[in-house]
Every structure is written in C-alpha cells, then in structure tokens.
Amino acid sequence: LLNPDTRVEPGALDIMAEYLDRHPDVGAVAPRLLNPDGSTQLSIRGFPTVGSVLCELLGLSRLFPGHQVFDRWRLRGFNYEQEAEVEQPMASCLLVRRQVVLKLGGFDERFPIFYNDVDLSFRMRRAGWRTVYLPNARVYHRLGASTGQVKVKMVWEAHRSLFRFLELHDPSRLFWLKAVILLPLLELAALVRVLFYRLAHQVLRPATWPEASG
C-alpha cells in the first residue's frame, strides 16, 4: 500500500520485503514515515476504543503523553528509533503479505477512505498476524496532501469513519449507551477542526520535498 503523496527512499522496500521473508509470522511491516523536512512523522497508534478516543477528545492524552491508559490511542510516547511490534501503523506505506489480504478479503467497503487500513490491521491482528515497525526503512510522506484538497469534507468523513469503526468492533453490548456521550464530542471536535481550517488555511504554505539522498 502506497499513497501518491510519498517518496520512498532507496532500499526501503528491500528492507521491508527481506524482513517478511525472515519472519513468516509477520503479516505486515511499516516503515518510518518522514515529514518533508526530514523529521519523523507520528505514524504509529493503538487501535481506537471508546475509552481511548474519549481520553483524546478530553485532552487527557496531551496532558499525560505516553501514559498507558490516557495515551493508549495516539501513542505520543512511542519510540520511533526502535523496531517494535505495533497495532496500527499509518498505511501511507505498508507492505502486507498477499496471502493475508486474500484471506481477510481486502478492505471493508464500509470504510470508503478513512479507517479502512485501521480495520484491516485490526482484523489481521485478530487472525493472529503480527505487524512490525521498521525504523531503518524510510519513506517521506506529505501528510494530508491528497485529502487536504477537499479538507472540510474529509474532516467530517474521518470522524464518521472513526465512529463506524468503534461501532463495528466494540466488544460490549453497550456501545450505543457509550455513543450518547461519544457522538456529541466527535461532532464538536469535527466542527472545531473545520473552523480552524477555514481560519488558518490561507496563511499556510505547502511543504516542499528535501533533496534526494543516496
């Protein structure tokens, strides 16, 4: 899986493919994603749950970055310098075994643009396949370059898809009771993001790629 707003560094795909060859129990590998300025992109998360999303919406994850409970979704304390088994890497670049994709039936079409990769990673883990982050495989990613072209629509779609994922994979029978609290907060968060974008987008400048290395 590779987004059009990426640039793969030489050797990155070899590192990823060779890792899969050496580890037959691993279903997918993710590279280190880099911003256009060369800084590491925060691309690794845990699977969202109603509790972890509420911690994010209420600001607890920002107050306690790296906390095992409050920062369970965004994982702001994740160590991007070390190889690690992960739950949900950003699929802007993700190498998945063909047999895994076929066995799982590919993406769930109930997620047209957002959270289809999260759902795939969730079903892959549930089926017993591991996903591993590889810091030495490097891919530049211009975050939001594609969806940013229709930003307002994408904000609402992202929040709807998050709600759909939580509804689909919530293990309890009390989801709609939880949704009474969650849904208004998601709608408010989406509204704030849209308003912020409308106020800020005129002064932002598009990022440029760094000079190619190697």
Side-chain angles (χ1 to χ4, degrees), residues 81-97:
E81 300 303 319
Q82 293 184 359
E83 176 186 309
E85 182 176 347
V86 297
E87 292 184 356
Q88 179 212 328
M90 193 182 296
S92 301
C93 180
L94 186 67
L95 187 61
V96 188
R97 290 187 188 277

Side-chain angles (χ1 to χ4, degrees), residues 2-198:
L2 187 66
N3 278 18
D5 53 1
T6 55
R7 194 190 75 197
V8 181
E9 283 286 271
L13 295 183
D14 292 332
I15 293 172
M16 297 165 71
E18 289 169 2
Y19 191 93
L20 286 181
D21 288 341
R22 297 194 309 271
H23 301 85
D25 62 322
V26 175
V29 288
R32 181 200 298 257
L33 294 182
L34 301 172
N35 294 306
D37 64 2
S39 60
T40 297
Q41 207 165 88
L42 304 184
S43 61
I44 303 298
R45 297 182 181 180
F47 293 125
T49 64
V50 172
S52 63
V53 171
L54 285 175
C55 285
E56 182 69 24
L57 293 174
L58 296 174
L60 295 176
S61 61
R62 294 181 181 275
L63 288 175
F64 305 99
H67 193 278
Q68 290 184 349
V69 175
F70 298 136
D71 194 24
R72 181 67 187 81
W73 178 28
R74 298 284 185 172
L75 297 181
R76 291 180 174 84
F78 182 79
N79 184 355
Y80 285 89
E81 300 303 319
Q82 293 184 359
E83 176 186 309
E85 182 176 347
V86 297
E87 292 184 356
Q88 179 212 328
M90 193 182 296
S92 301
C93 180
L94 186 67
L95 187 61
V96 188
R97 290 187 188 277
R98 182 173 182 269
Q99 69 184 98
V100 172
V101 176
L102 293 176
K103 186 172 293 186
L104 296 178
F107 288 128
D108 187 330
E109 294 184 359
R110 286 174 288 186
F111 300 94
I113 184 166
F114 294 107
Y115 287 87
N116 46 25
D117 55 330
V118 183
D119 173 76
L120 183 67
S121 292
F122 184 87
R123 290 186 287 123
M124 183 163 49
R125 186 180 183 90
R126 189 169 56 187
W129 295 97
R130 296 196 298 130
T131 300
V132 175
Y133 163 76
L134 302 175
N136 293 332
R138 299 158 60 92
V139 175
Y140 283 94
H141 176 221
R142 187 179 290 143
L143 187 64
S146 299
T147 57
Q149 298 176 48
V150 281
K151 181 70 173 181
V152 172
K153 183 178 179 180
M154 292 300 99
V155 167
W156 292 110
E157 181 56 40
H159 284 250
R160 280 193 294 267
S161 293
L162 171 57
F163 186 83
R164 192 175 298 124
F165 177 89
L166 295 173
E167 178 187 6
L168 185 63
H169 295 298
D170 188 88
S172 73
R173 298 182 180 180
L174 302 174
F175 175 76
W176 285 102
L177 184 61
K178 302 174 187 177
V180 172
I181 299 174
L182 178 64
L183 190 56
L185 289 175
L186 279 176
E187 293 293 324
L188 178 60
L191 178 61
V192 169
R193 288 181 64 190
V194 168
L195 292 176
F196 177 81
Y197 170 76
R198 290 189 182 280

